[in-house]
Amino acid sequence: MPSKIKQIQKKKRSVTGKATSIKPAPKKTNPQGKKALLPDAEKMLSKIQPSGKREESFFELVYQVARQIPYGRVTSYGAIAACLGTKLSARMVGWAMNGADKITPTVPAHRVVNRVGLLSGKHHFKPPGKMEKLLKKEGILVKDDVIIDFKEKFWDPSKQEAGGLIYGAQ
């Protein structure tokens, strides 16, 4: 059985493409030349899969990976982006984490930092200092907004361990 990360990576590949290849869909018309669908209906229908499930957005995939970060460990925006097959999208992962406080089930956004262990998203937590407080509660030491022993605390989602096997390792 493939790991959850592998399943997410497969979904990601089926959901997205290169930004340059996205073109607006041509307007559908009926034989009389009138629009066949309401403007938003086409968007809604294109996101429903044959199984009846909706396609997952990039943000939802980011949240699924972030929920798997083990207690007492951290990862980076870039590691999540690379795991999803879009390693140049670290900034988009950051945008996803910015809105994670409104998502249910909860997303441990405090466990996602920049590539050197800096708490670069700390200003999105209310009250100020909440990100550092949550990390310290999990046993992660922070000094001057940088995680101490970042390399030891780092969790790579593309090398997730499951049942003693490492998936995604090459």
Side-chain angles (χ1 to χ4, degrees), residues 34-50:
K34 296 180 182 176
K35 286 185 182 178
L37 296 172
L38 295 172
D40 293 335
E42 187 173 48
K43 290 178 189 175
M44 290 169 46
L45 290 174
S46 68
K47 291 189 175 191
I48 298 175
Q49 300 173 347

Side-chain angles (χ1 to χ4, degrees), residues 96-143:
M97 292 294 104
N98 182 18
D101 62 329
K102 299 165 188 75
I103 302 300
T104 303
T106 60
V107 177
H110 64 283
R111 296 181 189 154
V112 185
V113 296
N114 81 357
R115 64 187 173 96
V116 294
L118 181 69
L119 309 186
S120 56
K122 71 177 189 164
H123 56 281
H124 294 289
F125 286 80
K126 305 286 187 262
K130 182 177 179 181
M131 183 178 189
E132 184 174 345
K133 182 180 176 182
L134 290 169
L135 289 169
K136 286 182 177 179
K137 187 176 179 180
E138 294 185 17
I140 298 172
L141 301 177
V142 178
K143 182 178 180 183

Side-chain angles (χ1 to χ4, degrees), residues 47-60:
K47 291 189 175 191
I48 298 175
Q49 300 173 347
S51 66
K53 293 183 179 178
R54 292 195 176 277
E55 289 182 3
E56 299 193 46
S57 74
F58 180 77
F59 281 23
E60 289 167 340

